[in-house]
Amino acid sequence: MKIVITPGLTLSTVGEDDVERIRRAGGGAAVVVSEGDAVLNEMTDAEVVLGTVSRRTFAAAKKLRWVHAIASGVDAYLFDEFKNSEVILTCEKGLVGEHLADHAFGLLLMLTRQLAAAAHLGPDAWNHRWELRAKEFELTGSTMGVFGFGGTGRAVARRAAAFGMRVMALDRDPVPASPEVDGVLGSDGFDQLLAESDVLSVCCPLTRETRDLFDSEAFRRMRSNAILVNVTRGEVMVEEDLVGALLSGAIRGAALDVAPREPLPPDSPLWRLPQVVMSPHTAGASQFRTARNLDRFVGNLEKLRRGEPLEGVVDKQRGY
């Protein structure tokens, strides 16, 4: 077996100890770490890839059986040739929820506790403390709506419950509930989720169904005091409609780590709206992320050799 590792953002380096561990898990497999143009030559006899594939490298990989993505969102992998092939795709899904949920609540608290405004004012914040206090509010007793109840959604739900919030969840698949929710709504519960959420946290992948889902009609159905939180995929939001909803008061605010366009151009009104806080797609960072993903990959290598089902398998037609 030949395994090709292509480092990237969430797997920037692969040490000798990791390479040896992968080699052993692969039963003495040949393991090659490759970048740039050299990848093309290495792909010709590769059976397994840890990293990314492109149309060009995939076309060269005549023996490829399995790709393990170094990303939780896999929309970049799903070009037609790969999507319609028999090559297995696995990823980090279920492993990134904790740090994404931390980030979601960090952004949310920047709005609800006026932390972003205070930081922006700097030393002058003391002179505006009564204005800041008048805008602050507590999360206890409010409703957190979780759109997408996978690993990230469940981590958000746990944190929301710890803040004393009521938690609702929606998922297109019949997934089990958790102690924080009484039940999980199906897709037909979208209007209910919009109507009852004081905070709506987007925790879904980008698919044909979710792209541009949060448009003017969706914002119109939300509560006027609602805050939209999104740390997963920006393309689920229509930028112009989100700006319009914020300017008109259809929703209270937005806490975003992702944007409909990335990098978001400086002329986007989202940068200037006081009821918006943003970070530059950094929620995916964690000191544990690489180790968790390598553990899954190594475990899956052992399962592959034994002919057992792999963890984190992506339904390439559904996109997650």
Side-chain angles (χ1 to χ4, degrees), residues 4 15 32 45-46 48 78 125 135 159 174 235:
V4 174
V32 177
D45 55 349
V48 176
L78 298 178
K135 295 177 182 179
R159 286 155 178 76
E235 297 91 338

Side-chain angles (χ1 to χ4, degrees), residues 192-237:
Q192 181 183 350
L193 189 78
L194 295 175
E196 296 186 24
S197 298
D198 299 301
V199 178
L200 203 159
S201 182
V202 177
C203 302
C204 66
L206 179 64
T207 66
R208 290 188 301 272
E209 291 80 9
T210 61
R211 185 181 291 274
D212 295 335
L213 182 62
F214 287 85
D215 58 9
S216 58
E217 181 60 23
F219 296 129
R220 186 188 65 77
R221 298 199 296 269
M222 291 174 65
R223 292 182 172 184
S224 60
N225 70 319
I227 294 175
L228 181 72
V229 180
N230 191 350
V231 295
T232 52
R233 282 293 179 264
E235 297 91 338
V236 306
M237 307 175 296

Side-chain angles (χ1 to χ4, degrees), residues 258-274:
V258 291
R261 297 177 286 164
E262 293 187 357
L264 188 66
D267 61 354
S268 172
L270 290 173
W271 289 118
R272 300 186 294 276
L273 293 174

Side-chain angles (χ1 to χ4, degrees), residues 30-309:
V31 181
V32 177
V33 181
S34 185
E35 300 181 71
D37 292 338
V39 173
L40 199 62
N41 291 331
E42 298 294 350
M43 290 289 284
T44 56
D45 55 349
E47 294 182 58
V48 176
V49 169
L50 169 61
T52 59
V53 292
S54 65
R55 275 191 166 92
R56 188 179 177 212
T57 56
F58 182 72
K62 304 303 183 183
K63 297 183 178 181
L64 193 59
R65 300 165 56 196
W66 166 41
V67 173
H68 184 75
I70 51 174
S72 53
V74 295
D75 43 282
Y77 290 74
L78 298 178
F79 47 90
D80 287 343
E81 296 90 333
F82 184 30
K83 183 171 69 173
N84 297 324
S85 74
E86 295 184 1
V87 178
I88 300 167
L89 177 63
T90 58
C91 72
E92 296 176 285
K93 63 179 180 178
L95 299 180
V96 298
E98 300 301 328
H99 52 270
L100 290 179
D102 283 357
H103 204 97
F105 266 85
L107 290 170
L108 177 60
L109 293 170
M110 288 175 72
L111 284 179
T112 63
R113 306 310 302 169
Q114 293 296 298
L115 302 178
H120 179 74
L121 287 166
D124 198 38
W126 185 259
N127 299 320
H128 294 269
R129 64 190 182 278
W130 299 115
E131 297 170 35
L132 295 171
R133 289 172 65 101
K135 295 177 182 179
E136 291 176 10
F137 60 96
E138 186 177 336
L139 291 171
T140 305
S142 58
T143 296
M144 169 65 81
V146 180
F147 183 77
F149 208 50
T152 302
R154 291 170 187 274
V156 167
R158 289 192 293 272
R159 286 155 178 76
F163 272 87
M165 302 178 77
R166 170 195 175 224
V167 185
M168 300 175 62
L170 179 149
D171 200 284
R172 65 166 289 179
D173 297 324
V175 298
S178 72
E180 297 80 21
V181 299
D182 292 332
V184 180
L185 299 170
S187 297
D188 58 355
F190 186 51
D191 285 351
Q192 181 183 350
L193 189 78
L194 295 175
E196 296 186 24
S197 298
D198 299 301
V199 178
L200 203 159
S201 182
V202 177
C203 302
C204 66
L206 179 64
T207 66
R208 290 188 301 272
E209 291 80 9
T210 61
R211 185 181 291 274
D212 295 335
L213 182 62
F214 287 85
D215 58 9
S216 58
E217 181 60 23
F219 296 129
R220 186 188 65 77
R221 298 199 296 269
M222 291 174 65
R223 292 182 172 184
S224 60
N225 70 319
I227 294 175
L228 181 72
V229 180
N230 191 350
V231 295
T232 52
R233 282 293 179 264
E235 297 91 338
V236 306
M237 307 175 296
V238 178
E239 183 179 344
E240 181 180 355
D241 293 356
L242 175 58
V243 170
L246 291 162
L247 288 173
S248 69
I251 62 174
R252 175 183 283 182
L256 310 174
D257 182 59
V258 291
R261 297 177 286 164
E262 293 187 357
L264 188 66
D267 61 354
S268 172
L270 290 173
W271 289 118
R272 300 186 294 276
L273 293 174
Q275 65 271 53
V276 177
V277 294
M278 290 193 292
S279 53
H281 205 143
T282 54
S286 167
Q287 72 273 35
F288 304 121
R289 182 168 183 175
T290 296
R292 287 169 178 158
N293 202 23
L294 282 174
D295 285 347
R296 170 166 286 180
F297 179 69
V298 167
N300 273 346
L301 262 179
E302 295 168 345
K303 292 179 189 301
L304 184 73
R305 292 177 57 214
R306 296 193 297 262
E308 298 174 0

